[in-house]
């Protein structure tokens, strides 16, 4: 299962309509928790996301609406005796803040939390999920966006497999070895399959437009990106290091994204349809205006 769960979608402070940030990406057997703001632990309860589902904690920057939920999440990992290690990625320049958040109150630490601070652009981790990358953004404090890239693979073609008489366990053996001898002839994997691009996910929070925004969003099947303001407040957005809905949608269009999720809305706006209208003027793909406790699937592979 690959789906994105929107736990909290507001910026700066909670409102009656939106809690602070909090996002969970379920990616097969992995669970990525991004930017847990205040109240994330409670939102996880409502959304049916267990602490044991978290395998990686990814923080873009240390403004409160993106990290004040860390103490509760960290302590919940131990309270629930989460048996697997949880990797924590965050800007290295904010090590002091992360340490304070991690040990904000007394608790019996049983879970294994592996701190892996991000110092520069680059590859953070490789695993069954693919590759996890981080790239520096432009905000009032150091901020990083995250990108998940699944390696390209091959899609087996049932008609071709049948034509060559390959069935059952022989299919897996062919995939592993690259070729297989059947009835005295050698069958190559490229004869019974076609290329299948790996999926991509991008998570971009507080930033002005910059080159790394486009690099993170490149060919994303699911692009989650902040759109704090509407274009009428473009000057305000640039001054405080944010994007407008129109800018975010233009990034999606230029980078070849397939599905766009807009989030991190200023509490000044009470009409979310305005964000959709502005984004639709720039982006021709599917647009999701994030709201608390909703979820959307990662688009199926091409």
């Amino acid at each position: 299962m690959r789906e994105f769960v929107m736990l909290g979608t507001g910026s700066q402070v909670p409102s009656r309509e939106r809690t602070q940030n909090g996002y969970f990406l379920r990616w097969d057997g992995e669970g990525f928790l991004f930017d847990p703001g205040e109240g994330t632990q409670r939102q996880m309860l409502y959304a049916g996301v267990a602490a044991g589902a978290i395998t990686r904690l990814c923080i873009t920057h240390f403004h409160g609406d993106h990290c004040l939920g860390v103490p509760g999440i960290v302590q919940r990992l131990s309270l629930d005796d989460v048996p697997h290690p949880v990797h924590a990625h965050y800007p290295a320049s904010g090590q002091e803040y992360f340490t304070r958040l991690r040990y904000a109150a007394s608790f019996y630490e049983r879970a294994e939390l592996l701190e892996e601070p991000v110092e520069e652009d680059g590859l953070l981790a490789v695993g069954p999920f693919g590759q996890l990358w981080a790239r520096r953004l432009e905000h009032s404090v150091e901020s990083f966006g995250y990108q998940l890239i699944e390696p390209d693979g091959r899609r087996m073609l049932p008609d071709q497999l049948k034509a060559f008489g390959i069935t059952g366990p022989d299919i897996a053996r062919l995939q592993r070895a690259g070729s297989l001898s059947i009835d005295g002839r050698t069958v190559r994997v490229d004869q019974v399959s076609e290329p299948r691009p790996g999926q991509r996910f991008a998570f971009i929070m507080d930033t002005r437009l910059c080159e790394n925004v486009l690099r993170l969003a490149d060919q994303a099947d699911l692009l989650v990106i902040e759109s704090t303001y509407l274009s009428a407040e473009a000057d305000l957005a640039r001054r405080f290091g944010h994007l407008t809905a129109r800018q975010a949608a233009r990034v999606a269009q230029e980078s070849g994204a397939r599905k766009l999720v807009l989030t991190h809305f200023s509490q000044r706006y009470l009409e979310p349809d305005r964000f959709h209208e502005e984004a639709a003027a720039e982006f021709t793909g599917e647009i999701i205006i994030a709201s608390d406790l909703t979820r959307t699937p990662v688009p199926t592979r091409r």
Side-chain angles (χ1 to χ4, degrees):
M1 176 182 287
R2 295 184 179 181
E3 68 170 359
F4 184 71
V5 184
M6 297 156 248
L7 301 168
T9 59
S11 69
Q12 197 172 39
V13 297
S15 68
R16 288 183 174 86
E17 293 77 25
R18 300 179 186 276
T19 55
Q20 288 186 344
N21 295 279
Y23 310 91
F24 182 76
L25 175 67
R26 196 186 309 277
W27 190 273
D28 301 336
E30 300 285 332
F32 297 80
L33 180 62
F34 295 93
D35 282 5
E38 183 181 345
T40 295
Q41 185 181 180
R42 187 167 183 264
Q43 295 295 92
M44 286 171 58
L45 177 66
Y46 283 126
V49 176
I54 302 170
T55 58
R56 291 185 184 269
L57 171 63
C58 301
I59 298 171
T60 59
H61 65 290
F62 285 103
H63 278 157
D65 55 332
H66 295 260
C67 67
L68 285 178
V70 169
I73 295 299
V74 169
Q75 294 186 31
R76 187 61 180 268
L77 294 174
S78 286
L79 182 65
D80 288 2
D81 280 323
V82 171
H84 55 261
V86 174
H87 303 261
H89 307 284
Y90 53 87
S93 60
Q95 182 64 62
E96 178 184 7
Y97 298 122
F98 188 82
T99 301
R100 289 177 182 174
L101 290 165
R102 179 175 180 176
Y103 298 110
S106 175
F107 71 105
Y108 181 39
E109 188 170 22
R110 292 193 292 265
E112 184 178 9
L113 185 66
L114 304 176
E115 297 186 18
E116 300 176 13
V118 182
E119 297 184 358
E120 58 187 6
D121 292 9
L123 180 64
L124 300 181
V126 177
F129 54 84
Q131 299 176 339
L132 178 64
W133 290 75
R135 297 192 186 279
R136 183 176 278 105
L137 299 172
E138 290 188 11
H139 193 44
S140 55
V141 297
E142 187 173 48
S143 182
F144 286 89
Y146 294 96
Q147 181 185 42
L148 190 60
I149 301 177
E150 179 185 42
D152 294 340
R154 300 196 69 85
R155 181 181 294 108
M156 306 306 287
L157 302 173
D159 290 345
Q160 291 298 101
L161 291 168
K162 182 178 179 181
F164 283 99
I166 302 173
T167 60
D170 284 341
I171 298 175
R173 282 194 282 268
L174 174 60
Q175 289 176 306
R176 288 193 300 268
S179 64
L180 190 69
S181 293
I182 298 288
D183 297 331
R185 60 180 175 176
T186 299
V187 180
R188 301 187 314 275
V189 71
D190 63 336
Q191 293 177 278
V192 295
S193 65
E194 62 183 8
R196 185 202 69 203
Q199 287 188 307
R200 293 188 174 203
F201 167 83
F203 185 80
I204 301 170
M205 284 294 113
D206 302 18
T207 183
R208 300 180 183 91
L209 276 178
C210 62
E211 181 180 349
N212 273 346
V213 170
L214 289 168
R215 295 182 71 183
L216 287 163
D218 183 42
Q219 300 301 310
D221 293 278
L222 182 62
L223 169 60
V224 179
I225 186 169
E226 69 120 318
S227 59
T228 308
Y229 297 102
L230 292 170
S231 57
E233 285 76 41
D235 290 343
L236 202 61
R238 174 154 188 83
R239 189 191 318 164
F240 291 107
H242 288 291
L243 297 173
T244 66
R246 186 176 295 274
Q247 289 173 326
R250 191 176 303 139
V251 166
Q253 187 69 21
E254 293 179 3
S255 63
R258 295 175 64 196
K259 181 188 285 190
L260 171 64
V261 175
L262 297 180
T263 189
H264 193 271
F265 305 109
S266 168
Q267 63 270 22
R268 73 183 62 205
Y269 303 110
L270 300 178
E271 300 172 326
D273 287 348
R274 296 172 64 191
F275 285 85
H276 192 283
E277 291 171 5
E278 191 163 291
E282 299 287 341
F283 180 59
T284 56
E286 183 179 358
I287 300 169
I288 304 293
I289 304 302
S291 58
D292 289 11
L293 301 177
T294 59
R295 59 190 72 212
T296 188
V298 177
T300 56
R301 293 183 176 91
R302 297 178 192 269

